[in-house]
Amino acid sequence: MSAQPLRLLLADDEPLALRRIKLALQAIPDVEVVGAASDGAQAITQMRDLKPDVVLLDIKMPLADGFEVANAVEDSGGPEVIFVSAFDSYAVQAFETSAVDYLVKPVEFERLASALGRARERRAAKDAGRRVEELAAVLDALKREAEDREGPQYEKEFWIRDRGRFLRVPVADVERIEAERDYVRLYWEGRTLLHRETMSHLEEKLDPNLMLRVHRSAFVNWKRLKAVRRDANGRLMAVLESGDEVPVSRAYAQRVMQEMKSRS
């Protein structure tokens, strides 16, 4: 006789992250995805309306972050909360001994299956009040860790869907990024890959000491930047190690030249 399906709510503002989790869940028996939220406000509403057994929750989301969503757990019957994020170190140890779990992106299949197994066991063994109490303690630990971190946390890799699989593309290995309608095109290891993302969102997520924006439609990797020159028409061009050249727009020219001087 099969176990009662574990009802899951997924909450993440990155469509790719949601798709990856859904694909992984297809291979895990006795689980049912009852909802998916792309921001914190949606997650709170769906958690209260759908009463899931488990919430897989990203910490950084618009409108309400993972901390605020988790604080609404008590109002929704105390589901298990499994955080899925880029936080690590102290928080991981805290989750290992609490009633919730913690997965580091990109999530490994075996780790996800194990976390859901523990969530099922803990849900059967503990009442909602105890789970909420333990979750509050872990949230305090996470908040302290977040406050202790110095400076912004930047993306270190892209996960790109390509021919039915996902490619891990380290940001440091990308030569340049160019806008292409609703996508961006990554130039990586002699090939190009399309990624659904906006340039403005990328600028917030990428380390400016690694990826320099030279145009409203282009970033270049500092390590691959060989020189900056003017062409026959007087336009400023970023010359890459590959020999390719990327136009530097007037809006970014002064910043690019200042950066070049400071690094020379």
Side-chain angles (χ1 to χ4, degrees), residues 58-71:
D58 184 26
I59 289 177
K60 293 183 179 180
M61 288 188 296
L63 301 187
D65 65 19
F67 298 130
E68 294 174 272
V69 177
N71 284 332

Side-chain angles (χ1 to χ4, degrees), residues 122-139:
R122 289 170 180 172
R123 186 161 183 79
K126 298 180 179 180
D127 59 44
R130 176 70 181 279
R131 287 195 299 275
V132 171
E133 206 174 284
E134 292 183 331
L135 175 60
V138 174
L139 283 174

Side-chain angles (χ1 to χ4, degrees), residues 5-209:
L6 201 62
R7 303 175 70 254
L8 310 181
L9 170 63
L10 313 181
D12 199 308
D13 66 328
E14 297 182 20
L16 177 58
L18 280 176
R19 288 198 298 271
R20 283 175 54 82
I21 291 289
K22 287 179 179 178
L23 285 171
L25 289 171
Q26 290 176 5
I28 299 176
D30 301 320
V31 297
E32 176 188 3
V33 177
V34 297
S38 59
D39 62 57
Q42 285 182 14
I44 291 173
T45 299
Q46 292 190 36
M47 189 161 56
R48 290 171 176 165
D49 292 346
L50 299 173
K51 307 289 185 184
D53 299 318
V54 179
V55 181
L56 275 74
L57 180 63
D58 184 26
I59 289 177
K60 293 183 179 180
M61 288 188 296
L63 301 187
D65 65 19
F67 298 130
E68 294 174 272
V69 177
N71 284 332
V73 165
E74 190 171 8
D75 296 335
S76 58
E80 294 290 347
V81 174
I82 298 175
F83 281 111
V84 182
S85 189
F87 281 78
D88 48 22
S89 63
Y90 176 77
V92 174
Q93 297 177 14
F95 277 102
E96 291 295 336
T97 56
S98 73
V100 291
D101 210 331
Y102 181 95
L103 304 178
V104 178
K105 292 180 178 179
V107 177
E108 297 179 357
F109 173 80
E110 292 79 6
R111 188 73 177 85
L112 175 62
S114 176
L116 290 174
R118 281 197 295 275
R120 189 188 297 276
E121 293 172 1
R122 289 170 180 172
R123 186 161 183 79
K126 298 180 179 180
D127 59 44
R130 176 70 181 279
R131 287 195 299 275
V132 171
E133 206 174 284
E134 292 183 331
L135 175 60
V138 174
L139 283 174
D140 285 341
L142 267 179
K143 287 179 180 178
R144 286 196 301 272
E145 182 182 359
E147 290 168 358
D148 289 343
R149 286 173 175 262
E150 296 181 0
Q153 300 300 304
Y154 295 111
E155 294 289 341
K156 293 183 172 59
E157 57 194 20
F158 296 101
W159 282 87
I160 310 295
R161 190 181 185 95
D162 180 62
R163 300 175 186 174
R165 59 175 180 156
F166 287 98
L167 290 177
R168 175 180 172 274
V169 180
V171 174
D173 294 341
V174 176
E175 180 192 58
R176 67 184 190 274
I177 302 171
E178 296 181 352
E180 190 162 321
R181 296 181 182 175
D182 296 332
Y183 294 78
V184 293
R185 184 173 292 280
L186 310 182
Y187 290 75
W188 173 66
E189 294 188 349
R191 59 183 299 193
T192 66
L193 299 166
L194 280 178
H195 179 48
R196 193 172 183 86
E197 185 62 277
T198 65
M199 295 295 283
S200 57
H201 195 193
L202 271 183
E203 188 164 30
E204 296 175 0
K205 296 166 67 175
L206 297 178
D207 185 350
N209 290 314

